[in-house]
Amino acid sequence: MTLLNRNVDYAARALVFMARANKPTVSVAQMEGEVGVSRPFLRKTLQRLHKAGILQAVKGKGGGFALARNPENIRLSDLVSVLQGPLKLNDCVFRKQLCRHHDACLLRHKVSGIETRLLAELDSVTIKDLI
Amino acid sequence: MTLLNRNVDYAARALVFMARANKPTVSVAQMEGEVGVSRPFLRKTLQRLHKAGILQAVKGKGGGFALARNPENIRLSDLVSVLQGPLKLNDCVFRKQLCRHHDACLLRHKVSGIETRLLAELDSVTIKDLI
DNA sequence: ACAGAATGATACTGATAGGGTATCATTAAA
DNA sequence: TTTAATGATACCCTATCAGTATCATTCTGT
Ligand code: FES
Ligand code: FES
């Protein structure tokens, strides 16, 4: 199991770079070196964050990306939910009816609690924390 | 991201079933109904747990599987590490050199802390808790 | 007007992991 | 010797991960 996939990894580094840059926009070309991933791939990732409202984008010459919110308002959980999709609960939690005694199931409750606390941890880390 | 895959899900149910059964061994045929998965698949899963020393196995007629340890000594983290492999850290944590400032990296430390606490949670749940 | 630099959108590819089936060998009880 | 069980492999299909390629669009500077 991988907690964070590469997209989240790259995105976090790129966003930290942007937060530090103190410029209206930063182009992918300027970031690729520091982030350590090819330009087209990083671009696709940042486009997804743009669609999700986490980044602003300016097209055309001199354009690029910028944080759409203050760094302290962009959370690791935001990146995860956009780039890895929502945290899927364990199957019996998700698809009810998989086993009987669904409501009383202790595994379900334990796992649900663990996932809630994991999400809270991902929520508690912001881009500002990483600068 | 899925915290627990189906193998872990099925295995947990099967192990709880065995713990409750109070018999020397339980065959896969006896479990498949309660666990809700096909016999060959459940069998493969339990064989892996046997290889890992978590289950005992008795071949031949009347045979089956049994817990190799007391239920309070079999942890959710055991099932996860056998059936999902070890928790892989985020890429930059794992493959050093991916980005510079590796030692000082805050993302790395944050994620590492989150993963440690997640593992501790998986460690704290035993089969006994689920009976 | 035009060239160049940037993102938007989409399609494609290859590798890996998840989820599952099928088959044959081996063991032991009845 | 039949039958019921696990041991060990070899497959298969599908989805996700990771990355590339291409063309369209928009904006700036000359
Ligand atoms: S609800 Fe299915 S394992 Fe608990
Ligand atoms: S060590 Fe690579 S992102 Fe921190």
Side-chain angles (χ1 to χ4, degrees):
Chain A
M1 199 192 74
T2 313
L3 191 50
L4 300 185
N5 69 16
R6 292 196 191 184
N7 269 315
V8 173
D9 194 337
Y10 299 150
R13 297 214 284 282
L15 267 61
V16 168
F17 186 91
M18 285 185 252
R20 273 200 274 245
N22 202 26
K23 293 199 289 184
T25 63
V26 183
S27 74
V28 172
Q30 291 173 288
M31 286 183 269
E32 68 171 338
E34 182 73 18
V35 173
V37 63
S38 78
R39 201 179 305 193
F41 187 63
L42 179 56
R43 206 177 131 206
K44 195 167 73 166
T45 301
L46 298 184
Q47 282 180 358
R48 292 171 70 186
L49 294 175
H50 173 225
K51 270 195 185 171
I54 292 169
L55 294 179
Q56 290 179 331
V58 176
K59 288 173 80 171
K61 195 168 181 176
F65 293 96
L67 304 187
R69 308 199 285 267
N70 288 333
E72 63 267 31
N73 290 325
I74 300 179
R75 302 169 182 286
L76 206 46
S77 57
D78 295 328
L79 303 186
V80 169
S81 72
V82 172
L83 299 174
Q84 304 196 149
L87 192 65
K88 276 178 284 183
L89 296 175
N90 124 306
D91 233 55
C92 258
V93 180
F94 194 61
R95 319 191 334 206
K96 319 220 164 196
Q97 315 309 6
L98 219 172
C99 69
R100 9 183 187 285
H101 322 310
H102 189 272
D103 288 338
C105 173
L106 292 173
L107 177 61
R108 206 169 66 81
H109 288 127
K110 294 278 186 189
V111 171
S112 178
I114 290 174
E115 295 191 315
T116 300
R117 288 188 288 281
L118 173 58
L119 282 178
E121 297 230 43
L122 294 177
D123 244 46
S124 74
V125 179
T126 73
I127 296 299
K128 188 181 183 187
D129 298 328
L130 304 177
I131 298 177
Chain B
M1 198 193 76
T2 314
L3 190 52
L4 300 185
N5 68 17
R6 292 196 193 186
N7 268 316
V8 173
D9 193 338
Y10 299 151
R13 296 215 284 283
L15 266 63
V16 168
F17 187 91
M18 285 185 251
R20 273 201 275 245
N22 202 25
K23 293 200 289 185
T25 63
V26 182
S27 74
V28 172
Q30 292 172 288
M31 285 183 269
E32 67 170 340
E34 183 72 17
V35 173
V37 63
S38 77
R39 201 180 305 194
F41 188 62
L42 179 56
R43 206 176 131 205
K44 196 167 72 166
T45 300
L46 298 184
Q47 283 178 357
R48 292 171 70 186
L49 294 175
H50 173 223
K51 269 195 183 171
I54 292 169
L55 294 179
Q56 291 178 330
V58 177
K59 289 173 80 171
K61 194 167 183 176
F65 293 96
L67 304 186
R69 309 198 284 268
N70 288 334
E72 63 267 32
N73 290 326
I74 301 179
R75 301 170 183 286
L76 207 44
S77 58
D78 296 328
L79 303 187
V80 169
S81 72
V82 172
L83 299 175
Q84 303 197 149
L87 193 63
K88 275 178 285 184
L89 295 176
N90 127 302
D91 233 54
C92 258
V93 180
F94 193 62
R95 321 191 330 207
K96 318 217 165 200
Q97 314 311 5
L98 218 172
C99 69
R100 14 183 182 285
H101 321 310
H102 188 273
D103 288 339
C105 173
L106 292 173
L107 177 60
R108 207 170 66 81
H109 288 127
K110 294 278 186 188
V111 171
S112 178
I114 289 175
E115 295 191 314
T116 300
R117 288 188 289 280
L118 174 57
L119 282 178
E121 296 229 44
L122 294 176
D123 243 47
S124 74
V125 179
T126 72
I127 295 299
K128 188 181 183 189
D129 298 327
L130 304 177
I131 299 176

